[in-house]
Amino acid sequence: MAAPSHPEDMLTQVTQLWSMLDEMSESTPESYHRFMQQQLEDAKQYCAPPEPHLCLQTHILDPNEKSLFINLCRWKRVPAPKSPTDPIPLSAGVLEEVSDKAELYSIIDIAYNPSVLQRENQAEMDHLISLTFKYIEEHYNLSLSHSYHIATFTLRGSLKRMKQSLRGGPVPAPLLNKNMRNELTLDLMKHNLGEDHHNNATLLLNKNVTQSKVHLIEEIASMELPEEVNTPAYELTIAKDANRKPLKIELKVELPKVSSVSECELSISRDDVIVEVPEKYRLQLDLPELVNEEATTATFNKGKGVLLITMPIPQGKC
């Protein structure tokens, strides 16, 4: 099928696709179910939350000397570099200052595609870390010690704080009053790397490109989805057995502007759920219990405009 040349043509094709899905759901429900399961699986991969990989501890030398913890995270939403000579995309959270009893330190979360963190040898990993340090120095106007050690824990701070930081959610006010999300690319890094005669990262990551003409790392655009959509009304309940043991979570989402189930996009992980209707609604919730995403079901009542999501809670040890 040729790509549509005008917005009207694209809208027509989208409308035809929605109609086809509605017809499929009525005429061949099994095929429709398989198709939607595949779409949900693809969306689940894209919407899966970032995961901690390792934590680096170093020191900020200037403007104020203190410890810095760098959480390197795996996130499938961050694209992998298209080739070994292309820049390495990353997503960065805010630089957060933490006062823990008598200790004062900072935390920053940096996410790469999982394939980027699977370095073949320690030398390549060392160079990736060196580039990460240079990124932090450039973007946050800091001077860092390039001596570091890998912490015994994989994440400094809570998992929820890290997810909120990378997703652009609410976190404590960052150091130096930086914006909650950064949408810049590292235009200046190529110049600094070109002037650093001791840096050989380009030899590892961009073997056939001169240092003065390449961006070794670039930050991708904000990971947040458009904010102009509405948050729908919802009701979340936890069903329990006679012993008050949680059995399942039921989430009812009111979507009065939705006329077809094909408009809804649903993504569920073990600890959160995202319901989205492009340009109409978006709801993201952290779940109060871990759920079995594989056994989750969803039904849409077209007459009432209500989406019911039933998420079983695993029994016993997860």
Side-chain angles (χ1 to χ4, degrees):
M1 180 182 295
S5 56
H6 297 92
E8 294 81 3
D9 297 334
M10 182 178 295
L11 180 61
T12 299
Q13 289 192 10
V14 171
T15 303
Q16 291 173 347
L17 177 61
W18 286 351
S19 299
M20 181 190 71
L21 290 174
D22 283 338
E23 293 175 3
M24 183 188 299
S25 66
E26 296 176 0
S27 60
T28 55
E30 291 184 0
S31 298
Y32 173 79
H33 179 73
R34 287 194 300 270
F35 176 80
M36 292 305 295
Q37 283 295 110
Q38 183 59 51
Q39 298 306 305
L40 287 174
E41 194 64 33
D42 293 343
K44 187 189 304 180
Q45 293 293 320
Y46 177 78
C47 294
E51 299 177 343
H53 182 73
L54 60 83
C55 180
L56 305 171
Q57 182 175 1
T58 184
H59 286 85
I60 298 175
L61 302 178
D62 187 67
N64 298 307
E65 188 170 354
K66 71 187 76 170
S67 293
L68 172 66
F69 293 91
I70 305 170
N71 293 322
L72 292 186
C73 305
R74 306 182 300 270
W75 201 5
K76 293 181 180 178
R77 190 178 297 188
V78 179
K82 296 178 181 179
S83 75
T85 60
D86 281 341
I88 302 175
L90 65 80
S91 177
V94 298
L95 182 64
E96 179 185 347
E97 188 177 81
V98 179
S99 179
D100 185 4
K101 297 180 180 178
E103 185 182 7
L104 183 67
Y105 59 88
S106 293
I107 303 176
I108 187 168
D109 307 290
I110 303 290
Y112 291 104
N113 185 275
S115 64
V116 172
L117 294 172
Q118 295 173 351
R119 303 282 96 182
E120 294 183 359
N121 54 60
Q122 187 58 44
E124 291 189 0
M125 190 64 189
D126 288 342
H127 284 300
L128 178 65
I129 291 172
S130 176
L131 291 174
T132 303
F133 277 34
K134 286 183 176 291
Y135 165 78
I136 296 171
E137 288 180 319
E138 287 293 335
H139 183 65
Y140 294 100
N141 298 317
L142 301 176
S143 176
L144 301 181
S145 166
H146 283 232
S147 297
Y148 67 89
H149 74 267
I150 299 175
T152 55
F153 43 84
T154 58
L155 182 72
R156 185 70 174 191
S158 70
L159 191 62
K160 182 176 182 180
R161 186 212 61 81
M162 179 268 286
K163 291 180 181 180
Q164 289 175 336
S165 175
L166 287 171
R167 284 173 164 168
V171 296
L175 186 67
L176 303 179
N177 295 320
K178 292 295 181 181
N179 293 329
M180 292 295 290
R181 292 294 304 171
N182 161 40
E183 299 180 0
L184 300 176
T185 56
L186 292 180
D187 290 332
L188 297 178
M189 178 177 286
K190 63 176 180 179
H191 300 297
N192 285 354
L193 291 176
E195 294 168 1
D196 185 356
H197 301 294
H198 300 289
N199 189 305
N200 61 352
T202 47
L203 299 178
L204 286 171
L205 303 178
N206 302 282
K207 296 179 180 179
N208 299 320
V209 185
T210 60
Q211 291 182 351
S212 60
K213 296 182 179 180
V214 63
H215 298 232
L216 297 183
I217 294 182
E218 63 178 0
E219 182 164 13
I220 61 177
S222 170
M223 305 307 291
E224 296 176 87
L225 296 177
E227 297 181 355
E228 61 270 14
V229 295
N230 296 320
T231 299
Y234 67 91
E235 178 183 352
L236 188 147
T237 57
I238 302 177
K240 301 180 180 180
D241 62 14
N243 297 320
R244 301 192 61 78
K245 184 177 181 181
L247 295 177
K248 62 182 178 180
I249 297 176
E250 290 187 341
L251 176 62
K252 292 182 181 179
V253 186
E254 298 180 12
L255 305 170
K257 296 181 182 179
V258 175
S259 58
S260 169
V261 66
S262 60
E263 297 180 61
C264 302
E265 297 177 4
L266 174 64
S267 174
I268 298 172
S269 69
R270 295 177 66 225
D271 58 2
D272 70 357
V273 59
I274 300 174
V275 179
E276 184 180 11
V277 181
E279 300 183 0
K280 293 182 180 179
Y281 300 107
R282 187 173 191 272
L283 175 66
Q284 179 174 339
L285 295 176
D286 289 326
L287 300 174
E289 302 279 350
L290 296 180
V291 300
N292 182 350
E293 66 265 39
E294 300 297 334
T296 293
T297 60
T299 58
F300 182 68
N301 187 319
K302 187 182 294 187
K304 297 182 178 180
V306 174
L307 178 67
L308 174 62
I309 306 170
T310 303
M311 298 165 277
I313 297 173
Q315 303 303 304
K317 201 170 183 179
C318 295

Short mmCIF file of all heavy atoms in Angstrom, two decimals, residues 236-239 247-251 287-291 309-313:
data_model
loop_
_atom_site.label_atom_id
_atom_site.label_comp_id
_atom_site.label_asym_id
_atom_site.label_seq_id
_atom_site.Cartn_x
_atom_site.Cartn_y
_atom_site.Cartn_z
N LEU A 236 -10.94 1.99 40.74
CA LEU A 236 -10.06 0.83 40.94
C LEU A 236 -10.45 0.12 42.23
O LEU A 236 -10.54 0.76 43.29
CB LEU A 236 -8.59 1.28 41.00
CG LEU A 236 -7.53 0.16 41.02
CD1 LEU A 236 -6.27 0.61 40.29
CD2 LEU A 236 -7.17 -0.24 42.45
N THR A 237 -10.73 -1.18 42.13
CA THR A 237 -11.10 -1.96 43.30
C THR A 237 -10.24 -3.23 43.37
O THR A 237 -9.80 -3.75 42.33
CB THR A 237 -12.58 -2.37 43.27
OG1 THR A 237 -12.84 -3.10 42.06
CG2 THR A 237 -13.47 -1.13 43.31
N ILE A 238 -10.02 -3.70 44.59
CA ILE A 238 -9.28 -4.95 44.81
C ILE A 238 -10.25 -5.98 45.38
O ILE A 238 -10.80 -5.79 46.47
CB ILE A 238 -8.10 -4.75 45.78
CG1 ILE A 238 -7.14 -3.68 45.25
CG2 ILE A 238 -7.36 -6.06 46.01
CD1 ILE A 238 -5.99 -3.38 46.18
N ALA A 239 -10.46 -7.06 44.62
CA ALA A 239 -11.33 -8.15 45.10
C ALA A 239 -10.53 -9.08 46.00
O ALA A 239 -9.40 -9.46 45.66
CB ALA A 239 -11.90 -8.91 43.92
N LEU A 247 -7.19 -11.05 45.45
CA LEU A 247 -7.32 -12.01 44.35
C LEU A 247 -7.12 -11.35 42.98
O LEU A 247 -6.46 -11.91 42.11
CB LEU A 247 -8.69 -12.68 44.39
CG LEU A 247 -9.00 -13.56 45.59
CD1 LEU A 247 -10.43 -14.07 45.50
CD2 LEU A 247 -8.02 -14.73 45.66
N LYS A 248 -7.71 -10.17 42.81
CA LYS A 248 -7.60 -9.51 41.51
C LYS A 248 -7.87 -8.02 41.67
O LYS A 248 -8.48 -7.56 42.66
CB LYS A 248 -8.60 -10.11 40.51
CG LYS A 248 -10.06 -9.94 40.92
CD LYS A 248 -11.00 -10.59 39.91
CE LYS A 248 -12.46 -10.46 40.37
NZ LYS A 248 -13.39 -11.09 39.41
N ILE A 249 -7.39 -7.26 40.70
CA ILE A 249 -7.66 -5.83 40.63
C ILE A 249 -8.59 -5.59 39.45
O ILE A 249 -8.34 -6.08 38.35
CB ILE A 249 -6.37 -5.02 40.46
CG1 ILE A 249 -5.46 -5.19 41.67
CG2 ILE A 249 -6.68 -3.54 40.24
CD1 ILE A 249 -4.11 -4.50 41.53
N GLU A 250 -9.66 -4.83 39.69
CA GLU A 250 -10.57 -4.45 38.62
C GLU A 250 -10.51 -2.94 38.42
O GLU A 250 -10.63 -2.17 39.38
CB GLU A 250 -12.00 -4.87 38.94
CG GLU A 250 -12.22 -6.37 38.88
CD GLU A 250 -13.67 -6.76 39.02
OE1 GLU A 250 -14.46 -5.94 39.52
OE2 GLU A 250 -14.01 -7.89 38.64
N LEU A 251 -10.30 -2.54 37.19
CA LEU A 251 -10.20 -1.12 36.86
C LEU A 251 -11.27 -0.79 35.82
O LEU A 251 -11.28 -1.35 34.72
CB LEU A 251 -8.82 -0.79 36.30
CG LEU A 251 -8.60 0.64 35.81
CD1 LEU A 251 -8.76 1.64 36.96
CD2 LEU A 251 -7.22 0.79 35.16
N LEU A 287 0.01 0.31 40.10
CA LEU A 287 -0.91 -0.64 40.72
C LEU A 287 -0.53 -0.90 42.18
O LEU A 287 0.66 -0.97 42.51
CB LEU A 287 -0.91 -1.96 39.94
CG LEU A 287 -1.36 -1.82 38.47
CD1 LEU A 287 -1.19 -3.15 37.75
CD2 LEU A 287 -2.81 -1.34 38.38
N PRO A 288 -1.53 -1.06 43.05
CA PRO A 288 -1.24 -1.29 44.47
C PRO A 288 -0.70 -2.69 44.76
O PRO A 288 -0.15 -2.94 45.83
CB PRO A 288 -2.61 -1.09 45.14
CG PRO A 288 -3.61 -1.39 44.07
CD PRO A 288 -2.97 -0.93 42.79
N GLU A 289 -0.88 -3.63 43.81
CA GLU A 289 -0.36 -4.99 43.96
C GLU A 289 0.26 -5.41 42.63
O GLU A 289 -0.11 -4.91 41.56
CB GLU A 289 -1.49 -5.99 44.31
CG GLU A 289 -2.26 -5.67 45.58
CD GLU A 289 -1.52 -6.13 46.83
OE1 GLU A 289 -0.52 -6.86 46.68
OE2 GLU A 289 -1.94 -5.76 47.93
N LEU A 290 1.23 -6.33 42.69
CA LEU A 290 1.78 -6.89 41.45
C LEU A 290 0.73 -7.80 40.82
O LEU A 290 0.04 -8.56 41.52
CB LEU A 290 3.05 -7.69 41.74
CG LEU A 290 4.24 -6.88 42.28
CD1 LEU A 290 5.43 -7.80 42.52
CD2 LEU A 290 4.63 -5.75 41.34
N VAL A 291 0.58 -7.76 39.50
CA VAL A 291 -0.45 -8.53 38.81
C VAL A 291 0.18 -9.46 37.77
O VAL A 291 1.34 -9.31 37.40
CB VAL A 291 -1.48 -7.60 38.12
CG1 VAL A 291 -2.15 -6.71 39.15
CG2 VAL A 291 -0.82 -6.77 37.03
N ILE A 309 -11.04 -3.60 32.99
CA ILE A 309 -9.79 -4.36 32.95
C ILE A 309 -9.71 -5.20 34.22
O ILE A 309 -9.79 -4.66 35.33
CB ILE A 309 -8.57 -3.43 32.87
CG1 ILE A 309 -8.71 -2.46 31.68
CG2 ILE A 309 -7.28 -4.23 32.73
CD1 ILE A 309 -7.66 -1.36 31.66
N THR A 310 -9.56 -6.51 34.05
CA THR A 310 -9.47 -7.42 35.19
C THR A 310 -8.06 -8.00 35.23
O THR A 310 -7.61 -8.66 34.29
CB THR A 310 -10.50 -8.56 35.06
OG1 THR A 310 -11.82 -7.99 34.95
CG2 THR A 310 -10.45 -9.46 36.29
N MET A 311 -7.35 -7.74 36.34
CA MET A 311 -5.94 -8.12 36.47
C MET A 311 -5.77 -9.08 37.66
O MET A 311 -5.81 -8.63 38.82
CB MET A 311 -5.07 -6.87 36.65
CG MET A 311 -5.13 -5.92 35.47
SD MET A 311 -4.48 -4.25 35.83
CE MET A 311 -5.94 -3.51 36.61
N PRO A 312 -5.59 -10.37 37.41
CA PRO A 312 -5.40 -11.32 38.51
C PRO A 312 -4.12 -11.04 39.27
O PRO A 312 -3.11 -10.64 38.69
CB PRO A 312 -5.34 -12.68 37.80
CG PRO A 312 -5.94 -12.46 36.46
CD PRO A 312 -5.64 -11.03 36.10
N ILE A 313 -4.16 -11.24 40.58
CA ILE A 313 -2.98 -11.09 41.43
C ILE A 313 -2.38 -12.47 41.66
O ILE A 313 -3.08 -13.37 42.11
CB ILE A 313 -3.37 -10.44 42.78
CG1 ILE A 313 -3.91 -9.02 42.54
CG2 ILE A 313 -2.17 -10.40 43.73
CD1 ILE A 313 -4.47 -8.37 43.78
#
